[in-house]
Amino acid sequence: MKSILVVLLAFSLSLRAQPAAQGFSLPNGLRVVLLEEHEHALVRANLHLRIEPGDVPPSRQGLPLLFHRMFDHAETADLKAGELDRMLEDSGILLAQSMEPGGLTWRLVARSRDQDRAMGLLADRLMRTLIDPSILEAQRLACRRQVERPEGSPHARLRQALTQDPASRPTLDSLNAIRLEDLLTFRAKVIRPERAILILHGDLGLEQAKRLVMLSLGSWAAQEPPSPRNPPPSAATAPAPSAPADAPRIPDPGKGIRIQAMASRPRDLAPEAAELLNLLVPGNAGLLSVQVAIENGWLLATLDGESGTPGSHLWSLLQERLEALRRRGFAQDDLDRARVAWFARRSLDSLHPEAQMDRALAEALGYGRSDERMKALSLDALNTGLRNWLDPAKLQMGASGDPGDLKTLPTL
Amino acid sequence: MRLLVPILVAALGLQAQVPRPLEVQERRLANGARLLLVERQGLPAFSGTLVFQGGGAEEPTPTVGATDLLARTLFGTTWPEDLVPARNQTDLDALLKQEEGLLEAIRIERLRQRRDPAAPTQAPSLEASLETVQSRMKALFSSSPLSDLYTARGGRQKAMATADALLAQTELPLESFEFWCRTEAQRLRTVQLSRFSQARTSLIADLRSQGAQGMALLRGAALPGQPYGRDLLDYLPSLEALRWSDLRAYARRSLRPDRMMIILVGSFSMDTVLPVVERHLGTLPVPPDGEDAILPEIAADLGDRRVQAALGAGPRLLTGWRMPSRHHPDHLALRMAVQLLAGGQTSRLQTQLVRIKGLVRQAQMSLDVPGGRFPGLLVADLWPSDGHSLAEVEGALHSEILHLQQDPIPQDEWLRALAQLEAEHLLIEDEPAALARSLGMAWAEGGDWRLTDLDIQRLRALAPEAIQAAARAWLIPSHRTTVLLEPNPFASQDPIEAELVRVLKALASTRIADPAQREHLVSEGIRQLRMLSAEERLRTLKLLEAQLAPEKR
């Protein structure tokens, strides 16, 4: 009996350290993953709603951005402006909405004693938020301003311009074309329990989590889209993706020139190969002065020059260095070392609750990393992935710097 | 025995519900270094932090920027050539010395050329020699990112330079704990800094690219003659003159074991950790006593100061009040004042200035700018909405300060602010690296790591009247510095404004001959037009354009 107790204790301790994912679903289709962890009296919840390419009608680029702003600034049911915030802050609850690649996310953190209230308020936000036509123009103006005159440094603006997929980059015309019924249709398509995954982390057990989610989100049902008065234009009239001539050039008077190239992760790249490339590419000596970072599925290469350096020279130098790495690829020894480092790094997630939740979400969305696939990854697959990612035809390039220097860039 | 099972289950259940107080164990190593341990049982990884007291504020003038450089070049990465004495180590040392000599010779040559551009120059030959030396050095450097010793073991590291401390944080799998102790000890013994010149170049490039900053203007005007008031951008020439050997000497003087705190969070016990830490970090030599930096005293009531500048992308109002250091009894009350004024969506500035009056689109307040060890600043940072002037925003801010000083603080508002601070504290405790940072900064700024926990307990015991008394004592005009930032109309990114500048210049050129007068007129015109909404500005632009000759439109 004593030994059984010891095993029980050890098991409970290991559960605390590495919370195992426990999943369940509600009858309305909401999928829930619980990571139970009782170290502190805190509960975290991340609710992710997937946005699919078909959710945005042609020529309505910017619809998710405008919807995100409308939803974030809208009132919740019969609560007056600011009342929801007051109820959240009375209990020290943090609730933030963000638009991330592939979807909308709500991140909630509350003391465990406030978990019922916190989840109830999250549910109110999701189910009872009113899209208010009276703020549409103000929010459209804010989006337009973001497109016309994005704030932040020229470097940040260059990066923002490059990370927007040309096909989904909002334009003034596309933002002006969005009507209230587009927003309501978008809401009906996206804010649905079967589109959502809820990741819970922290000081609550499985039965407690089931009760909590059922009480707060069990009555969540999708809203019907409004009947369209004027159907949006068909796909045939959609503008073609921007041509390379759209390469952004951000003026930064008196400053040295910066050339950047961005490439989004190829859709067919295995997540395991992407993870290893993340360890092998940034800081690679073959890139010399080109700085490479991989963030949120984007590979970002940067080359800075002094003011007066010919932009055309830097432009071609950046392309040459990336092409040289693409052709050279990696050796078996690189793959082996990266694999060892990757397996060791997984334990670091135990130090970051948000990282554990992101990992659980990735697994629930079907792009999690598997130990078996990582072990089986071949050198050929790794180098093919690198070649696809750095394919010159898919690189989006741009520059910031003194307007005089920008003029020296080649015409694309 | 049957009784044991329900007891065990009950104990586990209770453990799940009751928040535990922060348990930190402290030891002093033989060489004076402090060790803090926070046990988190069962974690397969650990967080290890080194905190060195004395950051940018304690740098002597010739080494300004050294803390930032050490964060980048000593603790930013962990290359084997910086740690492991190898066959070619002598070569690397010799090359680093040669590089230092050539960099200095080139700097002097450039200064000479600036004074006498016509004189013959040796710069090209020196630069060629430097290139040769640097390419030989690069051949000795690791070529793969996985050569970084921590990255290869699955680890992550980052370093942060603040005004009061240098923090180096590492996360590694648990089995690498002794390796971490050995590596950090070796790093501090060797202080190799092999990539010194790259780190210095990149720091200078970053400073130049970010340009003049509003916050630096505020610090300079509010804390004149104080290290807290320094702007690194003003010290570029001395940063360019700082040599590899200077930085090494500075590191040996300032990164002393007796000014170091080691903070471990992980699945350890003190019994297992202490011998390992003693063996490696506890044997670091203690240099002879250096002189403690003596910072000039600054009076809080220097008078109401105002600075106006054309800078940045949009109008911005920065107001700083000189405030006491973290040791002072009023410090906590001011922390609560900041929470009431700007801590969250329901705070006073958010509610009144952003939501109800629509005067500003963004309102932030921060405490201990740039540090808390010495008297620093409490800063309000406000970004006016379109159509509202800086003067309006300034008036509204002062009105909120007066409300705080004079009107009783409602109970519900008080409790809300307290709940937010408590939740923030719990979040910090929940993440090992954040907890280590908080403990380290409490020690570096306030002299005691216990402040992390004590502050929150003392906040609970604080009375609203104490906040008002502190606000009346510190948030007053004689402690205040105001920086009014207007965007430079001639470098505007706003297409309407750029067009307005063009049209106004064209109109002015037909009427005013003096270019300085013309420029002043255009600047003033743009400043006035910023008070209008975007649509009104567009209409004004069309009216002005209509006054231009057709070929100039």
Side-chain angles (χ1 to χ4, degrees):
Chain A
M1 189 65 183
K2 229 181 204 174
S3 59
I4 293 172
L5 286 177
V6 171
V7 171
L8 265 175
L9 261 176
F11 180 66
S12 74
L13 286 177
S14 71
L15 268 185
R16 256 174 47 192
Q18 287 282 53
Q22 306 170 78
F24 61 92
S25 297
L26 296 195
N28 61 10
L30 173 67
R31 292 158 65 198
V32 185
V33 178
L34 169 68
L35 303 166
E36 193 177 342
E37 217 263 1
H38 299 287
E39 180 68 31
H40 288 109
L42 273 178
V43 170
R44 288 177 161 86
N46 285 5
L47 190 130
H48 178 84
L49 276 164
R50 200 174 62 251
I51 297 178
E52 293 172 358
D55 295 334
V56 182
S59 72
R60 295 289 193 274
Q61 296 95 327
L63 177 58
L65 174 67
L66 182 55
F67 178 79
H68 163 63
R69 291 196 68 96
M70 290 286 289
F71 208 82
D72 204 26
H73 289 81
E75 291 177 14
T76 300
D78 48 354
L79 297 177
K80 286 181 190 159
E83 217 165 300
L84 180 85
D85 287 331
R86 195 165 299 123
M87 291 167 83
L88 289 165
E89 292 183 356
D90 275 347
S91 303
I93 299 166
L94 301 174
L95 174 62
Q97 178 195 322
S98 59
M99 206 180 74
E100 291 167 10
L104 287 163
T105 301
W106 283 261
R107 290 176 190 267
L108 177 81
V109 189
R111 291 174 289 189
S112 52
R113 67 174 188 231
D114 298 316
Q115 55 186 270
D116 287 0
R117 184 187 178 93
M119 285 299 290
L121 291 170
L122 171 64
D124 279 350
R125 195 80 188 123
L126 278 171
M127 295 191 278
R128 300 172 66 207
T129 291
L130 308 169
I131 298 288
D132 179 2
S134 70
I135 62 166
L136 174 59
E137 290 314 312
Q139 294 310 320
R140 195 199 306 275
L141 190 67
C143 288
R144 275 178 53 181
R145 193 168 292 151
Q146 212 167 321
V147 174
E148 274 178 336
R149 188 180 50 160
E151 283 166 2
S153 68
H155 286 177
R157 288 163 51 220
L158 172 62
R159 193 184 162 118
Q160 183 191 329
L162 286 170
T163 46
Q164 282 271 359
D165 171 16
S168 60
R169 187 182 297 161
T171 62
L172 297 184
D173 289 343
S174 71
L175 283 169
N176 284 337
I178 297 170
R179 301 158 303 172
L180 182 66
E181 72 185 53
D182 293 322
L183 292 161
L184 295 174
T185 308
F186 184 81
R187 177 197 176 125
K189 279 183 180 173
V190 175
I191 311 282
R192 307 176 71 90
E194 68 273 20
R195 283 272 188 111
I197 296 175
L198 175 67
I199 312 288
L200 292 170
H201 177 285
D203 189 19
L204 75 174
L206 182 60
E207 289 312 313
Q208 205 180 347
K210 282 182 180 169
R211 182 196 60 82
L212 180 68
V213 180
M214 186 51 115
L215 277 177
S216 50
L217 293 163
S219 60
W220 182 11
Q223 294 183 0
E224 286 308 309
S227 45
R229 280 175 301 181
N230 303 311
S234 67
T237 62
S242 310
D246 287 337
R249 294 168 192 214
I250 312 287
D252 193 4
K255 296 289 163 52
I257 196 157
R258 161 169 286 197
I259 310 286
Q260 266 185 339
M262 306 281 273
S264 66
R265 202 177 88 185
R267 286 183 192 281
D268 56 352
L269 181 67
E272 292 77 17
E275 293 275 302
L276 295 196
L277 289 174
N278 196 5
L279 285 167
L280 287 162
V281 176
N284 190 283
L287 291 164
L288 299 171
S289 47
V290 175
Q291 303 287 320
V292 173
I294 297 180
E295 291 163 17
N296 299 323
W298 287 91
L299 185 145
L300 166 69
T302 308
L303 184 58
D304 287 322
E306 296 284 315
S307 184
T309 314
S312 54
H313 169 67
L314 291 173
W315 190 273
S316 49
L317 194 64
L318 177 66
Q319 288 172 317
E320 279 165 24
R321 300 249 166 97
L322 291 177
E323 182 59 13
L325 177 68
R326 180 173 175 263
R327 285 174 188 275
R328 193 168 56 244
F330 295 105
Q332 185 62 43
D333 182 48
D334 297 321
L335 170 63
D336 294 341
R337 286 195 299 158
R339 203 161 17 208
V340 168
W342 183 82
F343 275 109
R345 181 164 283 192
R346 295 199 93 180
S347 67
L348 265 51
D349 282 356
S350 65
L351 303 172
H352 301 278
E354 288 290 345
Q356 292 167 32
M357 295 172 83
D358 289 347
R359 191 156 116 185
L361 177 65
E363 276 162 18
L365 289 170
Y367 52 81
R369 287 75 172 139
S370 121
D371 289 5
E372 285 65 39
R373 284 199 304 269
M374 182 58 88
K375 282 178 201 155
L377 184 74
S378 68
L379 183 63
D380 190 41
L382 183 78
N383 283 330
T384 306
L386 176 72
R387 280 195 293 275
N388 286 340
W389 206 340
L390 292 180
D391 182 351
K394 293 178 193 159
L395 284 179
Q396 293 172 49
M397 292 186 63
S400 70
D402 193 83
D405 293 339
L406 292 180
K407 283 185 192 150
T408 67
L409 293 175
T411 309
L412 290 175
Chain B
M1 185 58 91
R2 218 179 282 162
L3 268 176
L4 267 177
V5 176
I7 290 170
L8 175 72
V9 172
L12 286 174
L14 276 179
Q15 191 186 30
Q17 294 303 321
V18 181
R20 291 189 299 275
L22 182 60
E23 286 171 12
V24 183
Q25 299 171 62
E26 184 180 18
R27 295 288 185 278
R28 197 78 189 252
L29 307 187
N31 57 7
R34 291 161 174 85
L35 169 67
L36 297 188
L37 172 65
V38 182
E39 286 188 39
R40 290 277 164 87
Q41 286 309 319
L43 289 182
F46 74 97
S47 159
T49 302
L50 300 182
V51 185
F52 296 93
Q53 214 169 31
E58 288 197 20
E59 291 161 353
T61 307
T63 52
V64 168
T67 313
D68 283 90
L69 273 176
L70 287 173
R72 288 172 185 237
T73 186
L74 182 62
F75 291 108
T77 47
T78 309
W79 301 113
E81 58 269 21
D82 276 349
L83 297 164
V84 187
R87 275 183 295 116
N88 49 26
Q89 196 66 23
T90 332
D91 296 347
L92 184 56
D93 283 352
L95 287 169
L96 280 162
K97 278 179 194 149
Q98 279 185 46
E99 186 196 36
E100 174 179 292
L102 285 164
L103 284 168
E104 182 61 6
I106 290 169
R107 187 182 72 84
I108 292 168
E109 186 64 20
R110 282 186 186 149
L111 286 175
R112 207 170 56 82
Q113 259 187 299
R114 211 174 295 162
R115 280 196 299 270
D116 183 7
T121 174
Q122 291 182 330
S125 70
L126 289 168
E127 277 161 7
S129 305
L130 179 66
E131 208 176 312
T132 310
V133 168
Q134 288 183 332
S135 62
R136 284 171 62 197
M137 281 164 65
K138 274 182 189 153
L140 301 176
F141 289 168
S142 305
S143 59
S144 158
L146 283 168
S147 303
D148 182 290
L149 298 174
Y150 287 162
T151 309
R153 282 166 176 76
R156 268 194 293 254
Q157 68 187 119
K158 61 179 176 187
M160 190 170 76
T162 77
D164 295 323
L166 171 60
L167 279 91
Q169 296 202 285
T170 310
E171 293 175 342
L172 275 166
L174 197 60
E175 58 270 20
S176 297
F177 173 63
E178 179 151 14
F179 174 77
W180 176 77
C181 291
R182 193 167 51 240
T183 303
E184 293 307 318
Q186 187 63 21
R187 190 196 304 274
L188 289 166
R189 278 199 177 90
T190 314
V191 194
Q192 182 68 45
L193 311 179
S194 65
R195 283 151 174 88
F196 162 77
S197 68
Q198 286 146 279
R200 191 181 59 173
T201 306
S202 110
L203 175 60
I204 291 171
D206 287 351
L207 289 168
R208 286 213 171 108
S209 108
Q210 74 189 31
Q213 300 283 303
M215 199 60 93
L217 271 182
L218 175 68
R219 286 202 316 265
L223 303 165
Q226 277 281 318
Y228 272 0
R230 282 199 296 226
D231 179 6
L232 213 44
L233 201 59
D234 295 336
Y235 290 81
L236 287 184
S238 73
L239 199 54
E240 279 166 351
L242 187 70
R243 294 174 305 175
W244 170 68
S245 51
D246 297 334
L247 188 64
R248 286 185 96 188
Y250 176 81
R252 291 189 194 288
R253 277 197 313 275
S254 61
L255 308 182
R256 306 161 54 94
D258 51 350
R259 303 189 77 188
M260 174 172 76
M261 177 173 269
I262 305 151
I263 306 170
L264 299 170
V265 186
S267 184
F268 304 115
S269 72
M270 187 54 97
D271 291 347
T272 54
V273 156
L274 189 58
V276 183
V277 177
E278 276 284 14
R279 191 159 57 244
H280 299 288
L281 291 159
T283 54
L284 286 171
V286 187
D289 278 345
E291 282 177 20
D292 279 340
I294 298 169
L295 300 185
E297 293 277 324
I298 188 162
D301 53 350
L302 285 178
D304 198 359
R305 299 176 157 218
R306 292 178 78 76
V307 177
Q308 196 162 0
L311 188 70
R316 185 177 170 197
L317 177 77
L318 282 161
T319 311
W321 289 268
R322 282 173 289 280
M323 60 168 287
S325 70
R326 208 167 159 172
H327 303 276
H328 195 280
D330 280 347
H331 187 273
L332 266 187
L334 290 171
R335 184 173 168 192
M336 190 55 145
V338 166
Q339 189 65 30
L340 289 165
L341 284 166
Q345 293 301 312
T346 56
S347 62
R348 294 182 179 199
L349 297 187
Q350 281 293 335
T351 309
Q352 291 298 321
L353 272 58
V354 180
R355 194 176 295 163
I356 296 176
K357 295 180 184 160
L359 283 175
V360 301
R361 53 197 167 89
Q362 201 179 316
Q364 289 172 345
M365 281 189 99
S366 36
L367 203 65
D368 297 330
V369 176
R373 190 170 170 212
F374 306 106
L377 293 177
L378 186 159
V379 177
D381 188 357
L382 305 175
W383 299 70
S385 306
D386 278 355
H388 292 283
S389 68
L390 289 169
E392 270 179 280
V393 173
E394 192 182 5
L397 171 67
H398 294 167
S399 162
E400 287 306 320
I401 301 289
L402 285 173
H403 276 307
L404 181 72
Q405 290 169 340
Q406 294 167 5
D407 302 341
I409 300 168
Q411 176 78 355
D412 61 333
E413 190 186 359
W414 176 262
L415 292 175
R416 191 180 313 128
L418 199 56
Q420 286 174 269
L421 287 170
E422 283 180 352
E424 192 182 294
H425 179 68
L426 256 183
L427 268 177
I428 288 172
E429 275 193 12
D430 196 39
E431 196 150 336
L435 174 60
R437 215 164 30 244
S438 176
L439 289 166
M441 289 313 291
W443 173 67
E445 292 180 344
D448 188 354
W449 56 265
R450 290 171 193 82
L451 290 176
T452 299
D453 238 13
L454 284 176
D455 277 358
I456 202 78
Q457 291 166 26
R458 288 176 186 158
L459 274 169
R460 286 186 199 118
L462 217 56
E465 294 73 31
I467 311 300
Q468 292 185 295
R472 282 195 292 267
W474 296 95
L475 305 185
I476 51 176
S478 63
H479 289 197
R480 189 172 62 202
T481 301
T482 306
V483 174
L484 302 126
L485 297 176
E486 295 270 12
N488 179 357
F490 303 105
S492 176
Q493 308 292 340
D494 176 355
I496 299 178
E497 193 161 298
E499 201 50 23
L500 276 166
V501 170
R502 185 188 68 81
V503 173
L504 281 174
K505 271 185 177 173
L507 282 172
S509 67
T510 60
R511 294 176 173 94
I512 302 168
D514 181 358
Q517 252 188 348
R518 230 167 28 217
E519 196 161 296
H520 176 72
L521 183 91
V522 173
S523 300
E524 188 55 29
I526 291 293
R527 203 176 70 77
Q528 300 285 342
L529 287 167
R530 282 198 191 117
M531 301 301 118
L532 304 178
S533 69
E535 281 174 17
E536 287 169 329
R537 271 187 295 166
L538 201 58
R539 274 204 300 274
T540 313
L541 173 64
K542 282 180 185 156
L543 285 172
L544 290 168
E545 263 179 338
Q547 295 181 37
L548 282 177
E551 69 277 8
K552 287 188 177 174
R553 281 178 202 167

